[in-house]
Amino acid sequence: MFRTAAMSIRRSAVALLLAAVLPVAAFGQATVREPWTQVRPEAIEAHVRFLADDLLEGRAAGSRGYDTAAAYVAAQFRQFGLKAAGDDDTYFQTVPLLEATAVLPGSAALLERDDEPVKFEYGTDYLPGADFLSTSSTVTAPVVFAGFGIEAPELDYNDFANIDVGGKIVVIIAGAPARFAHNQRAYYSWDIEKYQQLATRGAVGVVVLDMREDAARYPWERRVASSWIPQMRWLDTDGQPMDVFPQLKLRFRFNMPAAARLFEGSQATLEQALDTAEAGTAQGFDLPGTLTLSATTGLRRTQSTNVVGVIEGSDPRLRNEYIVVSGHLDHLGRGAPVNGDSIYNGAHDNASGIGMLLESARALMASDVRPRRSIVFAAVTAEERGLLGSDYFAHHPSTAGGRIVANLNLDMPMILGPTLDFLAHGAEHSSLGPVARRAVRAQGYRLSPDNMPEEVIFIRSDQFSFVRQGIPSLYLNGGYVPRRRDIDVAALQREFLDTHYHEPSDDLALPLDYPTAADLTRVTTRILLEVANTTARPAWNRGDFFAEKFPSP
């Protein structure tokens, strides 16, 4: 989408004026006890129109556009009356970051066997990963295939049972077996869990492949087109990047034809290995030859900010327990142009979630209701780089010694039309589930199950940063059961994921049903108040899978 600079600035100014004026009007009204009655769809729209404007240049973490968005959110928090909960009595929590960019001319992949060596080509055959610990890395090692790279004892599944990966480059398939239950499939698809398993076993490099279904849903050409996006990690107090595995010197991704060359002369072809993976059977075997992977990485230290405000609790016994409402403020910034448009605006992802977060905060402050527990509103950074802002906050909560007891996350709800339902990912894991069902029902909707389990959404947004710390969490999302027969919402959502997700076309030209977004905001607000006012703190369900993987503190 192209607009002149003058037109962009004018429209941004109008949106900013609307967002500033609407809260003032709300404060001028008589207060009521139910803050959800204060939610206004036009206020959400005003926020989205500003945050997704070309003026903000896609809000990439660490960019001027992101800083503008952060200043905007902080100004809204101040106007609503939220207490600053960032660094040094500001609304901003600084997140130190290390940015790693693969330098394409410096990468190489070479397979050597007794016959002619196979030289793979960047972009055509492979994409290199970045090394967060060195600007230049090379690893040469034998090759072994380890199925999905999963050991799941509780499921009697182990891809490593018959192989030794020590000192080897390991070829693994992304994701997890489709036969795994929904939660187990999500957890074991998680890259960090896989890399931890490989590093513990002594692997020195990784080559990742896609399942056929994933390759069809996210074609190789699309991966290459998005390979310009830098990778990031947040830095600890010693300046070291988190979730980096020094033993795994390099991580590459191969496409199907190139991967097939790795399997030549082994006990199974790539097609046979994929058939076994689709059947959900563990597998692992050596691949012939030696593989050399090389990469050059540009490393740059930078920083971004989480924007944090708090409504302090009214109960002396509970006010030091905090519920965090999170949503990521960043998107992808400027990048490879598509149809002449190089700004990745992120209207749905996640200007919409931030608009809802802001309106929930305003509605609570505009009512005369004060929660017993404290409620933190956190617009977090660098979600698009690996949930970094939320993970940093979960490790360094700005709650002055208080305890985070629950998280509600708002991210790309894909509200493309009016629906009869909403989703609450994670509802089955904790006492937050019944609360969500009551809130949805009170708003005149029903709670539906996840209709896209293959997307393993529960590990792919900021709520997972809190789950990793043992904190019960919900990821609230738009539904898919249409309210009107002429609008197939599920089809629109699939089209969005196939065509507009992480593309410049995720902009203000796409439909966004603001009345339904307002209803999901009302549901969020209802959940917040019930959790804040119930004496018992939220708890994992007994024997829950995630509770066992990530025990509460």
Side-chain angles (χ1 to χ4, degrees):
M1 181 176 63
F2 174 79
R3 282 182 278 177
T4 66
M7 184 182 299
S8 176
I9 291 171
R10 283 197 300 271
R11 292 185 180 179
S12 299
V14 169
L16 180 59
L17 179 61
L18 282 172
V21 169
L22 286 170
V24 172
F27 276 108
Q29 297 171 357
T31 58
V32 295
R33 291 203 58 81
E34 295 83 13
W36 45 87
T37 65
Q38 301 288 299
V39 171
R40 304 177 65 179
E42 59 268 33
I44 299 172
E45 180 175 6
H47 296 311
V48 173
R49 288 193 172 277
F50 179 76
L51 294 170
D53 193 273
D54 283 357
L55 183 69
L56 274 66
E57 300 179 327
R59 308 186 309 279
S63 71
R64 180 181 62 179
Y66 179 88
D67 291 345
T68 302
Y72 174 84
V73 171
Q76 298 300 308
F77 283 173
R78 185 181 300 278
Q79 185 177 28
F80 303 160
L82 271 65
K83 180 182 177 181
D87 302 333
D88 302 321
D89 296 322
T90 72
Y91 291 98
F92 304 106
Q93 180 188 45
T94 300
V95 181
L97 298 168
L98 180 64
E99 181 181 84
T101 305
V103 181
L104 306 184
S107 66
L110 177 68
L111 177 65
E112 294 181 284
R113 294 176 177 153
D114 294 335
D115 52 2
E116 191 73 18
V118 179
K119 182 180 180 181
F120 299 102
E121 299 295 329
Y122 162 77
T124 303
D125 299 314
Y126 73 86
L127 290 171
D131 185 347
F132 287 92
L133 300 174
S134 175
T135 57
S136 181
S137 305
T138 299
V139 59
T140 300
V143 194
V144 63
F145 173 59
F148 286 102
I150 292 171
E151 181 182 9
E154 71 276 17
L155 300 174
D156 194 25
Y157 183 99
N158 187 1
D159 285 316
F160 302 103
N162 301 312
I163 55 174
D164 176 13
V165 304
K168 298 178 182 179
I169 295 173
V170 185
V171 179
I172 61 172
I173 302 170
R179 71 172 178 84
F180 281 17
H182 178 67
N183 300 320
Q184 285 89 337
R185 187 179 183 187
Y187 173 79
Y188 286 111
S189 295
W190 181 34
D191 288 345
I192 300 301
E193 164 63 16
K194 293 193 178 195
Y195 295 153
Q196 182 65 65
Q197 291 281 355
L198 293 171
T200 299
R201 288 173 164 81
V204 297
V206 185
V207 171
V208 180
L209 320 175
D210 283 325
M211 289 290 284
R212 298 183 184 103
E213 180 184 2
D214 295 331
R217 189 168 65 247
Y218 200 79
W220 182 254
E221 294 75 18
R222 192 171 177 187
R223 289 195 182 278
V224 174
S226 62
S227 62
W228 57 270
I229 302 172
Q231 301 173 50
M232 284 182 170
R233 294 291 186 271
W234 64 265
L235 301 173
D236 65 16
T237 53
D238 295 324
Q240 296 302 307
M242 295 293 292
D243 286 334
V244 171
F245 302 93
Q247 305 94 323
L248 300 176
K249 295 185 182 298
L250 287 173
R251 296 165 231 173
F252 276 40
R253 184 178 287 270
F254 275 37
N255 69 4
M256 292 294 192
R261 302 296 302 270
L262 300 177
F263 284 76
E264 290 176 354
S266 73
Q267 71 180 53
T269 66
L270 173 60
E271 292 302 315
Q272 290 170 331
L274 291 174
D275 288 342
T276 302
E278 288 178 357
T281 302
Q283 56 183 326
F285 48 85
D286 289 328
L287 299 176
T290 300
L291 187 62
T292 297
L293 304 176
S294 300
T296 301
T297 305
L299 297 175
R300 181 176 74 97
R301 289 177 182 261
T302 184
Q303 64 182 34
S304 189
T305 55
N306 295 327
V307 190
V308 191
V310 62
I311 300 175
E312 293 187 308
S314 59
D315 188 318
R317 292 185 302 162
L318 298 179
R319 65 187 307 165
N320 287 327
E321 295 184 355
Y322 292 80
I323 305 159
V324 177
V325 187
S326 58
H328 74 90
L329 183 57
D330 67 306
H331 198 235
L332 302 180
R334 283 187 174 273
V338 178
N339 298 323
D341 188 356
S342 63
I343 298 178
Y344 290 66
N345 304 78
H348 281 272
D349 187 15
N350 180 40
S352 62
I354 293 296
M356 293 163 57
L357 179 150
L358 287 171
E359 183 59 1
S360 180
R362 186 201 64 79
L364 280 164
M365 293 300 294
S367 74
D368 64 346
V369 172
R370 287 297 173 263
R372 297 174 66 195
R373 285 187 176 88
S374 298
I375 301 175
V376 172
F377 290 86
V380 297
T381 189
E383 187 271 355
E384 300 291 3
R385 303 294 195 263
L387 319 184
L388 303 185
S390 59
D391 193 46
Y392 185 85
F393 183 87
H395 280 82
H396 304 91
S398 56
T399 53
R403 175 179 178 181
I404 299 174
V405 299
N407 166 246
L408 271 64
N409 189 47
L410 297 166
D411 180 9
M412 199 179 79
M414 287 196 298
I415 299 177
L416 297 160
T419 61
L420 295 168
D421 63 332
F422 291 127
L423 277 65
H425 301 282
E428 70 273 28
H429 299 304
S430 74
S431 59
L432 295 175
V435 181
R437 291 185 184 90
R438 286 191 290 272
V440 167
R441 187 167 56 248
Q443 205 55 50
Y445 288 74
R446 63 179 186 246
L447 200 62
S448 287
D450 184 5
N451 64 328
M452 300 181 189
E454 71 279 2
E455 297 285 348
V456 293
I457 287 174
F458 197 59
I459 67 164
R460 289 180 52 193
S461 191
D462 289 306
Q463 75 284 338
F464 194 55
S465 295
F466 296 93
V467 171
R468 290 175 67 182
Q469 302 305 312
I471 299 167
S473 301
L474 288 179
Y475 172 18
L476 299 172
N477 219 326
Y480 51 84
V481 179
R483 190 173 289 273
R484 290 170 44 184
R485 294 182 179 179
D486 60 328
I487 300 179
D488 187 340
V489 177
L492 289 174
Q493 290 174 341
R494 178 52 64 188
E495 180 189 8
F496 174 86
L497 292 174
D498 291 343
T499 306
H500 305 294
Y501 174 62
H502 282 184
E503 297 291 336
S505 55
D506 178 10
D507 61 17
L508 295 170
L510 292 180
L512 202 166
D513 192 83
Y514 289 103
T516 305
D519 276 342
L520 184 54
T521 305
R522 295 178 181 110
V523 167
T524 302
T525 309
R526 287 177 183 272
I527 295 171
L528 283 174
L529 275 186
E530 180 169 343
V531 174
N533 291 331
T534 301
T535 300
R537 68 170 62 109
W540 294 104
N541 294 335
R542 185 181 299 275
D544 181 78
F545 176 78
F546 283 104
E548 294 180 350
K549 292 297 182 183
F550 305 108
S552 296

